[in-house]
Amino acid sequence: MRKHKTIRFFTLIFVLVIQVCFLVLTILENYEANVWSVSILASIVTFLIILATRFLDLHHEEYDYEKLSVALWVPVGGLMCYQLHTTTDLSNVVSSALVGLGASFLPNIKSSSEYLKKIPAAIYCGTFIGMTSMAVQASILMILVAGLVSGLLYILSKNIFVGVGGKLGTIAFVGVVVLVIINRFL
């Protein structure tokens, strides 16, 4: 039980740190703001996020993780979207929508299969990785690595932010940011 609480805590902190750093860098880069005002704004946002995760019912009480066999579909979705976008004249948004639409029909293959019902969300999460700008991710290997990182976060976040919109995009975003950090410093 304690191990699960620790994993949940560090998963939440990891996502929070990535989001706040992105917010701060975006504000500093795009607006004429001084460091102090950005620091205050980031502190307020961080405080509000911590309050929300602490006092709102955003998590299940039981500790459950997604299966690896489901999470492996995250990089598959990313690769499919990336390939569709780079080999056709389709935009990255249309490519993501088409892959997501195709994935939505997978449960119809066998409607009693619980496994097939879980795959579309994982694939759709991956399509957000495949949508990333070519300036950020210029190869299939980069998409694969970001997909694997996001797949790990997908496993850990099964019972976190339940019912909150944007969870799949946030998971994909964190995977891409981790890849960019790795790429920049290695």
Side-chain angles (χ1 to χ4, degrees):
M1 176 87 150
R2 186 175 174 101
K3 176 181 87 169
H4 300 296
K5 282 186 175 185
T6 304
I7 291 171
R8 176 179 282 178
F9 174 78
F10 282 111
T11 302
L12 286 169
I13 293 298
F14 181 66
V15 171
L16 176 67
V17 167
I18 294 288
Q19 293 286 7
V20 170
C21 287
F22 181 73
L23 173 69
V24 168
L25 292 174
T26 300
I27 291 170
L28 286 174
E29 183 176 316
N30 294 316
Y31 301 101
E32 292 181 20
N34 64 37
V35 175
W36 287 108
S37 62
V38 172
S39 298
I40 291 170
L41 178 63
S43 298
I44 292 169
V45 169
T46 303
F47 178 71
L48 292 174
I49 292 172
I50 290 170
L51 280 178
T53 59
R54 177 71 177 110
F55 295 110
L56 296 178
D57 189 22
L58 303 175
H59 319 294
H60 285 299
E61 291 305 314
E62 73 268 3
Y63 297 98
D64 194 16
Y65 304 102
E66 192 58 75
K67 294 179 179 169
L68 178 62
S69 61
V70 174
L72 288 175
W73 287 97
V74 173
V76 170
L79 292 170
M80 290 186 334
C81 180
Y82 177 81
Q83 280 298 107
L84 190 59
H85 169 60
T86 57
T87 59
T88 66
D89 289 333
L90 297 174
S91 71
N92 54 1
V93 175
V94 172
S95 298
S96 172
L98 287 175
V99 172
L101 178 65
S104 72
F105 292 109
L106 288 174
N108 294 340
I109 294 171
K110 186 176 179 185
S111 59
S112 62
S113 172
E114 290 301 314
Y115 176 71
L116 287 177
K117 290 177 185 175
K118 294 178 181 183
I119 293 175
I123 290 175
Y124 196 56
C125 179
T127 65
F128 293 123
I129 297 164
M131 290 175 61
T132 304
S133 168
M134 296 295 290
V136 174
Q137 299 189 112
S139 73
I140 290 177
L141 179 62
M142 291 180 163
I143 297 292
L144 182 63
V145 171
L148 291 172
V149 170
S150 295
L152 175 63
L153 191 56
Y154 191 84
I155 290 170
L156 297 175
S157 67
K158 181 176 183 176
N159 289 337
I160 299 174
F161 299 126
V162 176
V164 176
K167 178 178 176 178
L168 298 178
T170 299
I171 290 170
F173 171 76
V174 170
V176 171
V177 167
V178 168
L179 174 73
V180 168
I181 291 169
I182 290 169
N183 226 9
R184 175 150 296 168
F185 294 110
L186 294 183

